Amino acid sequence: MGLVLELALGHLGQRKRQTLVSVAGVALGVGFFIGMMALMGGFQKYFITQVIDSWPHIIIKDEFREPALQPVFRVYPQGAVQLVSLKPRDELKGIRNAREILAALEDSPYASAPTLRTQVFYRYGSREVAATLVGIDPKREMQVTQLARDINQGSLDALYSTANGVILGEGLAKKLGVGLGDMLSVTSPVGAVLKMKVVGIFNTGVTALDNFESYSLIKKAQVLAARANVINQVRLRIPDVSVARQVAQELENRFGYKAESWEESYSNVLGLFKVQNGVMYSAVGAILVVAAFGIFNIISTVINEKRRDIAILKSIGLSEGDIKGVFMIQGLILGLVGTLLGWALGYGLTEMLASIRFNMEGFVRTQGFILDRGLKPYGVAALFAMLSATFAAWLPARKAARLNPVDIIRGAA
Amino acid sequence: MPVLQTRGLTRILRDGPQPVPLVQDIDLQVEAGEFVAITGPSGSGKSSLLYLLGLLDTPTAGELWIDGQDAARLSATELARLRLTRLGFVFQFHFLLPEFTLLQNVMIPMQKLGRLETQEMRERAAALLVELGLETGHDKRPDQLSGGQRQRVAIARALANDPLILLADEPTGNLDSRNGQIVFDIFRRLAARGQTVITVTHDPHLAAQTSRQIHLVDGRISG
């Protein structure tokens, strides 16, 4: 092994510049992968934690996945029937057996909170903003979301102490131009109007919530929606978020109502993340493929140049495996050194990104890049780099091992 | 027991449109300590025969035993092992590795064999170089030497693992007559010590200094 390594190092030592270029190729691939992963992984992780914290893990809604069957279909399940322009029966929307559902959930390990969610118009002076009003039971809501923590002006308890209190998202308050203590006029779709007082302003960091959500006591929401004693959502928090999907499925099977996990509620964003990751993996994959070509190139060149050396080494008694080893090791050295330099580059890149300050409002609001400094990208990048380096070296190395020394010795004379 | 024995050894090239016989029906027996010259006009198959004897090429027919082992029964790895332990090669071109020193070049076969400690390898390599008339400059690179010196380093490398048979293919072909004579003097000295040497040469003057001559014509032994 010592001899094989010595030979490999000897070859690389003779082609310093090409070696450097190959190593740089690998290092760039690895470095950018780490930088990009830190950037995107950080953002995605942050978004998901924010969502998990400030959004219920599961919501049982007053909806069904399949619309109720029309009586005609029930009678003729196989019949060719088409019904158009059916006006739905006017019925009170909401979860009918809410009391039983809540009682059943009391006995489960999941925290639950009843809510009535309705659309409203906020009017303040000449400004009008449409938003969602969520009627909550603050005590129970606290067990389900981190609303209490996210309130940075006023408090959740003020809903109890103030008549007609409302808590607004920061973005919503800004759009209306209101502050703590201001009186708003709230109009519901059924035409009810209520004067409400701003008793709290929250900031979750998730734009969709901060700009469009507001909270009041559930009674006030029921008054506005003209649906006394009705709730239309049960919000749940479960101990293990990773099984939210399965738990939601169970609840749906049990109660019949649509139960939506947080993944489903945010499936558009999570889907976007998948696309984003796919794009990044292909981009970095392309860099590493180019780097692999560099390795392939240098090793092919060395083999071409060293045909005589290969011939004599074989005649001395080095086996095909030894010859293959000499060139495979060169590939591995290039891959390894490239990986190490890439790690340093990736670390530097991450730190550089971390030092950039700016204000951004997208899915989340932030003052700079949110970075994930996990070690996983380092491992993944190293694996990619080493695999591609090995493969890039293996192709020409295999050819070198098969060279026939007689052909070369005859040619050299 | 002969160190090398062949029966009906034949090598025919079948790459082109017409099969080209390189060597045909070689029956040969070489005893330990013999100094053999393979002679003949160019194209007579001298080198081809040497490559077959040196296990670098595979015969299309016939049998070959080296040190009592039937080459046809050995795998590629076992053949490489046999070359490493029993054979030493010197070619017309020196084939020294340019990025290694003379000492390192001579050490390569010993490193592959791995029987000696590094220090012992260094000492043996240095002793071989001194024996072949290269007293100093063992840390030089091959491109700092003259042709004659390089060929002597190549001989030292061939002798590194104390081979049973030293095989040389036109070892003087790139040398002037004085350096060619030096190489042959070395061979004679080795043979006198009991080293089996088989060399290909087209120089009748040098061939005359060996103990036995095998003359090839059109790939067959003549006379």
Side-chain angles (χ1 to χ4, degrees):
Chain A
M1 197 60 202
L3 174 64
V4 171
L5 185 65
E6 266 178 51
L7 290 167
L9 289 174
H11 289 171
L12 290 180
Q14 275 202 319
R15 308 202 126 260
K16 289 202 180 66
R17 207 168 57 166
Q18 223 180 337
T19 301
L20 216 66
V21 170
S22 301
V23 164
V26 177
L28 280 179
V30 169
F32 277 107
F33 180 79
I34 291 168
M36 295 300 286
M37 275 301 270
L39 194 59
M40 295 177 38
F43 169 71
Q44 294 176 4
K45 255 191 197 162
Y46 176 78
F47 181 82
I48 288 169
T49 3
Q50 289 302 100
V51 164
I52 287 172
D53 274 358
S54 47
W55 188 256
H57 296 166
I58 297 171
I59 301 172
I60 301 176
K61 295 185 167 179
D62 61 339
E63 296 167 16
F64 301 96
R65 287 212 192 254
E66 305 290 337
L69 282 180
Q70 290 295 328
V72 189
F73 285 108
R74 263 182 238 157
V75 179
Y76 303 107
Q78 308 294 321
V81 181
Q82 192 187 10
L83 299 170
V84 292
S85 305
L86 262 185
K87 190 179 177 214
R89 253 195 314 168
D90 199 15
E91 52 187 330
L92 195 64
K93 283 195 77 186
I95 298 176
R96 280 154 190 269
N97 49 348
R99 215 180 288 270
E100 289 95 86
I101 290 178
L102 285 167
L105 288 172
E106 285 292 314
D107 299 332
S108 72
Y110 317 131
S112 59
T115 56
L116 178 68
R117 192 178 172 83
T118 180
Q119 298 301 314
V120 293
F121 264 110
Y122 286 105
R123 193 171 294 139
Y124 183 69
S126 62
R127 292 185 203 194
E128 266 181 27
V129 179
T132 303
L133 179 67
V134 184
I136 56 168
D137 174 349
K139 287 220 167 62
R140 300 188 72 166
E141 181 69 17
M142 272 162 64
Q143 296 162 10
V144 173
T145 61
Q146 301 281 349
L147 182 59
R149 187 201 63 185
D150 293 331
I151 292 175
N152 49 17
Q153 293 176 54
S155 72
L156 195 57
D157 287 336
L159 285 180
Y160 286 124
S161 54
T162 313
N164 296 346
V166 65
I167 295 173
L168 302 178
E170 201 175 71
L172 184 55
K174 204 172 273 175
K175 274 194 273 182
L176 285 162
V178 296
L180 222 52
D182 288 338
M183 293 295 287
L184 291 164
S185 153
V186 189
T187 313
S188 74
V190 295
V193 183
L194 212 58
K195 284 270 172 197
M196 295 185 101
K197 189 177 184 185
V198 180
V199 296
I201 289 173
F202 67 87
N203 178 359
T204 59
V206 180
T207 319
L209 296 179
D210 296 348
N211 285 1
F212 298 104
E213 297 252 320
S214 55
Y215 296 91
S216 72
L217 287 182
I218 194 159
K219 287 267 177 253
K220 307 298 168 194
Q222 286 167 345
V223 168
L224 272 169
R227 287 147 88 177
N229 293 320
V230 170
I231 63 162
N232 61 4
Q233 287 193 350
V234 177
R235 289 150 65 101
L236 289 132
R237 185 172 194 83
I238 61 174
D240 180 5
V241 276
S242 62
V243 296
R245 214 182 282 261
Q246 290 93 300
V247 173
Q249 189 59 50
E250 272 168 39
L251 295 174
E252 187 163 329
N253 293 342
R254 192 162 151 203
F255 300 125
Y257 285 106
K258 181 178 175 185
E260 206 177 79
S261 65
W262 65 272
E263 286 123 311
E264 196 184 342
S265 308
Y266 283 90
S267 59
N268 53 342
V269 179
L270 296 179
L272 202 61
F273 286 170
K274 281 206 183 107
V275 174
Q276 211 177 20
N277 287 344
V279 169
M280 185 192 55
Y281 273 107
S282 357
V284 174
I287 301 179
L288 284 174
V289 166
V290 172
F293 270 111
I295 292 176
F296 176 84
N297 187 28
I298 180 176
I299 291 177
S300 301
T301 314
V302 167
I303 286 171
N304 251 328
E305 236 173 42
K306 297 291 179 190
R307 285 165 62 88
R308 289 176 170 188
D309 296 16
I310 295 167
I312 190 65
L313 288 170
K314 280 189 117 178
S315 71
I316 283 173
L318 270 73
S319 64
E320 289 198 1
D322 292 328
I323 302 294
K324 208 188 281 180
V326 168
F327 297 102
M328 292 291 289
I329 284 180
Q330 295 180 40
L332 289 179
I333 290 172
L334 294 174
L336 192 68
V337 175
T339 298
L340 292 175
L341 285 177
W343 280 356
L345 181 68
Y347 181 79
L349 211 59
T350 310
E351 290 307 311
M352 200 193 78
L353 289 170
S355 68
I356 299 174
R357 294 273 132 221
F358 60 90
N359 286 314
M360 177 187 84
E361 187 164 327
F363 290 130
V364 295
R365 214 174 300 111
T366 154
Q367 274 80 50
F369 290 119
I370 302 151
L371 296 161
D372 174 17
R373 289 194 170 76
L375 290 178
K376 196 178 145 208
Y378 288 76
V380 173
L383 193 73
F384 267 130
M386 293 310 286
L387 277 181
S388 59
T390 308
F391 186 65
W394 178 74
L395 287 177
R398 201 179 44 148
K399 267 182 79 183
R402 287 187 190 156
L403 281 179
N404 182 359
V406 171
D407 296 341
I408 298 160
I409 290 162
R410 273 185 201 283
Chain B
M1 192 178 66
V3 293
L4 184 149
Q5 194 171 10
T6 71
R7 193 179 304 145
L9 202 63
T10 300
R11 174 76 166 99
I12 296 169
L13 270 187
R14 294 182 200 279
D15 298 342
Q18 291 257 308
V20 180
L22 295 175
V23 290
Q24 292 186 75
D25 292 326
I26 303 291
D27 296 326
L28 194 62
Q29 192 163 326
V30 177
E31 302 295 334
E34 273 195 282
F35 184 11
V36 183
I38 301 174
T39 60
S42 52
S44 59
K46 305 184 293 289
S47 295
S48 299
L49 176 58
L50 193 86
Y51 300 149
L52 286 174
L53 299 182
L55 307 172
L56 292 176
D57 202 0
T58 315
T60 38
E63 294 163 18
L64 168 64
W65 289 272
I66 287 181
D67 196 22
Q69 297 192 56
D70 184 355
R73 290 172 176 276
L74 300 179
S75 70
T77 315
E78 286 166 329
L79 289 174
R81 187 78 192 164
L82 202 58
R83 285 202 294 273
L84 180 69
T85 54
R86 305 285 200 282
L87 306 178
F89 288 94
V90 180
F91 299 100
Q92 183 172 351
F93 182 78
H94 58 81
F95 287 115
L96 296 174
L97 304 192
E99 62 270 22
F100 290 101
T101 65
L102 307 187
L103 201 70
Q104 286 171 327
N105 265 291
V106 178
M107 281 168 70
I108 288 172
M110 299 188 239
Q111 283 177 294
K112 172 60 191 164
L113 191 61
R115 280 191 193 146
L116 300 177
E117 295 297 318
T118 308
Q119 191 49 39
E120 294 172 303
M121 291 185 204
R122 299 183 72 85
E123 283 163 11
R124 176 166 169 77
L128 281 167
L129 286 171
V130 170
E131 193 189 332
L132 296 183
L134 293 151
E135 279 82 12
T136 55
H138 295 174
D139 292 327
K140 284 186 183 168
R141 314 250 160 203
D143 56 9
Q144 294 168 285
L145 300 187
S146 72
Q149 287 171 319
R150 280 182 207 158
Q151 199 58 309
R152 278 183 272 156
V153 178
I155 296 171
R157 180 179 61 189
L159 294 172
N161 284 339
D162 197 10
L164 194 63
I165 309 167
L166 181 65
L167 295 156
D169 181 19
E170 300 271 17
T172 61
N174 283 351
L175 302 178
D176 56 32
S177 59
R178 194 179 66 85
N179 275 304
Q181 189 55 55
I182 291 174
V183 166
F184 254 72
D185 286 343
I186 290 168
F187 284 177
R188 271 213 321 238
R189 219 164 64 223
L190 292 169
R193 244 176 26 195
Q195 173 72 57
T196 313
V197 180
I198 303 176
T199 179
V200 166
T201 183
H202 61 266
D203 184 335
H205 172 68
L206 293 173
Q209 303 175 23
T210 63
S211 59
R212 177 176 162 198
Q213 294 180 35
I214 294 163
H215 193 68
L216 286 189
V217 175
D218 293 337
R220 292 173 191 275
I221 296 178
S222 84

